[in-house]
Amino acid sequence: MKRKRYISVLAVMSVMTALGGCGMQNNFVEEQPKNMTIGISVYDQYDTFISELMSQFQSYVKEKEKDWGISITLEIQNAEQNQLVQNSQLDSFIEDGVDIACINLVDRTDASSIIEKAKTSDVPVIFFNRELVKEDLERWDKLYYVGADAYESGKLQGDILVNECETNFDKIDRNHDGVLQYVMLEGEASHNDSLIRSMTVIQEITENGYTVEKLSDEIANWNRDQAANKMKQFLEEFGNSIEVVLANNDDMALGAIDALKTAGMENSSENWPAVLGIDGTTVGLEAVEKGEMLGTVLNDARGQASGMLELAYSLTMGTKLPKKYQLIDDKYIRMPYKIATKENLGEIQVEQTK
Ligand code: BGC
């Protein structure tokens, strides 16, 4: 597919009418409608979760323009997985006079240049999704982070399996050795979410009394095709011994499902392992609906998008942040994760399309 330059500028007409002259210019306080311009740089626009997050953001912007009676201009850029590109995107945002920048860091360990540029030009930054270390966030009081608690996502993924084992252990433990043989598909090596999810999911399963055996784990960088390749290799090596597939996100869980299907396995077959993802993307939820995935954990794209916009608005306009978006340590907004299985799928789908 041809990569198109991803600049979407939403210049929406201000709904406030300019105050007309009434011949008494000195006798009234002129209340100018305030507009807001936000520069956003995403690490990779082709990442499924990020692209859903941005759609949610754009639709929330439209809603809020009406509620707030202002116009909001968005400048959205794709950093194409290159930190230097992202650094220069911030330069253009600053030149364009944005009120605030929302940065989905390419390299979460390399935020220095972004922080220095923002500080020098006094442009507040809301980092999102790719969590930087606390020390970096503390380098200036106008730096924020919007995302979710990675520990919670791993724990909830573990809970999905634990809940299923409580009623259906024999079905999952197909070789009846009392041990759950699993493979793991991990996101990027240095990403906070992959590191923590991989650890906490196992902790949660074992703390609930189940014994696991890792057959193998591989990094597939959040990517469906890479995950399909890794899963193909797992299947060649371990075949039907794989009882559980733990993927750090839905796209990789879907890649595993692609490989299972390519290997000729049917979702209804006894050998189909329990596949678990995280994100609750549209395609992820569809796989849960079809029974291909046992469950996923909703990474609340709608909640995070609204948290970013509400925070941007309150910082720009100097207003109070609504209670729902608690600003922890004056820096963090973390939206809760939620389990998504066949049982509550309808509810989750409605929430994300509200
Ligand atoms: C999501 C992944 C996504 C990654 C990008 C994670 O929180 O679960 O699907 O690829 O963020 O940074």
Side-chain angles (χ1 to χ4, degrees), residues 43 47 49 129-130 191 193 197 222 249 279 299:
Y43 92 103
D47 178 297
F49 175 71
N129 167 261
R130 299 164 74 85
H191 197 302
D193 289 347
R197 287 173 185 170
W222 307 118
N249 78 344
D279 276 343
N299 194 359

Side-chain angles (χ1 to χ4, degrees), residues 184-203:
M184 171 107 70
L185 291 161
E186 300 189 40
E188 290 156 277
S190 61
H191 197 302
N192 199 46
D193 289 347
S194 22
L195 297 168
I196 294 174
R197 287 173 185 170
S198 305
M199 179 182 78
T200 48
V201 63
I202 297 302
Q203 232 169 37

Side-chain angles (χ1 to χ4, degrees), residues 160 250 277-280 285 288 293-298 338-341:
I160 299 174
D250 282 356
I278 292 180
D279 276 343
L285 294 175
V288 174
M293 219 196 278
L294 176 63
T296 181
V297 179
L298 181 76
K338 242 185 231 167
I339 281 181
T341 58

Side-chain angles (χ1 to χ4, degrees), residues 66-348:
K66 289 196 197 116
D67 292 356
W68 292 331
I70 63 167
S71 77
I72 301 173
T73 304
L74 300 182
E75 211 177 303
I76 305 178
Q77 300 272 2
N78 177 20
E80 294 176 358
Q81 303 213 22
N82 184 328
Q83 190 56 59
L84 295 177
V85 169
Q86 186 163 63
N87 295 349
S88 65
Q89 287 170 345
L90 182 67
D91 289 333
S92 351
F93 294 158
I94 293 168
E95 273 165 34
D96 295 348
V98 299
D99 296 297
I100 197 153
C102 293
I103 305 289
N104 179 220
L105 279 172
V106 174
D107 182 349
R108 61 181 278 270
T109 63
D110 188 12
S112 296
S113 168
I114 299 273
I115 294 173
E116 286 317 312
K117 285 172 198 280
K119 205 171 159 182
T120 313
S121 10
D122 199 27
V123 173
V125 178
I126 301 174
F127 293 100
F128 65 101
N129 167 261
R130 299 164 74 85
E131 188 167 348
L132 58 171
V133 292
K134 197 165 170 263
E135 290 68 25
D136 277 342
L137 209 62
E138 279 167 354
R139 279 164 59 178
W140 186 36
D141 60 357
K142 292 184 184 167
L143 303 175
Y144 303 87
Y145 178 76
V146 175
D149 176 2
Y151 286 88
E152 198 188 354
S153 52
K155 183 178 174 311
L156 293 179
Q157 190 181 46
D159 287 342
I160 299 174
L161 187 64
V162 168
N163 293 341
E164 185 66 15
C165 283
E166 257 141 49
T167 45
N168 272 328
F169 185 74
D170 281 347
K171 202 173 144 218
I172 297 180
D173 178 32
R174 288 193 316 267
N175 64 359
H176 307 298
D177 65 349
V179 177
L180 298 169
Q181 274 78 26
Y182 74 93
V183 292
M184 171 107 70
L185 291 161
E186 300 189 40
E188 290 156 277
S190 61
H191 197 302
N192 199 46
D193 289 347
S194 22
L195 297 168
I196 294 174
R197 287 173 185 170
S198 305
M199 179 182 78
T200 48
V201 63
I202 297 302
Q203 232 169 37
E204 184 67 5
I205 299 167
T206 52
E207 278 172 10
N208 276 281
Y210 294 97
T211 309
V212 295
E213 179 192 349
K214 180 168 81 185
L215 298 177
S216 190
D217 63 349
E218 286 284 356
I219 289 172
N221 295 310
W222 307 118
N223 181 282
R224 185 167 179 160
D225 291 342
Q226 288 185 37
N229 268 326
K230 301 291 179 192
M231 185 68 187
K232 181 173 176 272
Q233 289 161 19
F234 292 156
L235 285 168
E236 279 159 11
E237 197 173 346
F238 307 107
N240 289 341
S241 322
I242 304 170
E243 295 171 338
V244 178
V245 179
L246 297 169
N248 283 169
N249 78 344
D250 282 356
D251 261 16
M252 294 189 293
L254 291 164
I257 291 169
D258 293 340
L260 286 165
K261 289 181 181 168
T262 308
M265 224 183 263
E266 300 235 352
N267 169 15
S268 52
S269 105
E270 278 196 356
N271 289 331
W272 189 272
V275 181
L276 291 97
I278 292 180
D279 276 343
T281 54
T282 311
V283 273
L285 294 175
E286 275 165 20
V288 174
E289 197 165 13
K290 287 188 219 150
E292 294 171 349
M293 219 196 278
L294 176 63
T296 181
V297 179
L298 181 76
N299 194 359
D300 184 3
R302 169 122 186 125
Q304 291 168 39
S306 57
M308 275 161 66
L309 186 65
E310 295 280 356
L311 180 57
Y313 180 79
S314 99
L315 294 171
T316 310
M317 306 296 178
T319 55
K320 248 183 136 185
L321 194 62
K323 269 213 181 87
K324 182 178 170 197
Y325 307 97
Q326 203 199 342
L327 196 60
I328 307 158
D329 298 334
D330 287 329
K331 293 258 168 221
Y332 294 91
I333 294 181
R334 293 190 196 279
M335 302 309 286
Y337 283 102
K338 242 185 231 167
I339 281 181
T341 58
K342 258 192 169 166
E343 276 82 70
N344 67 343
L345 205 58
E347 193 188 301
I348 297 272

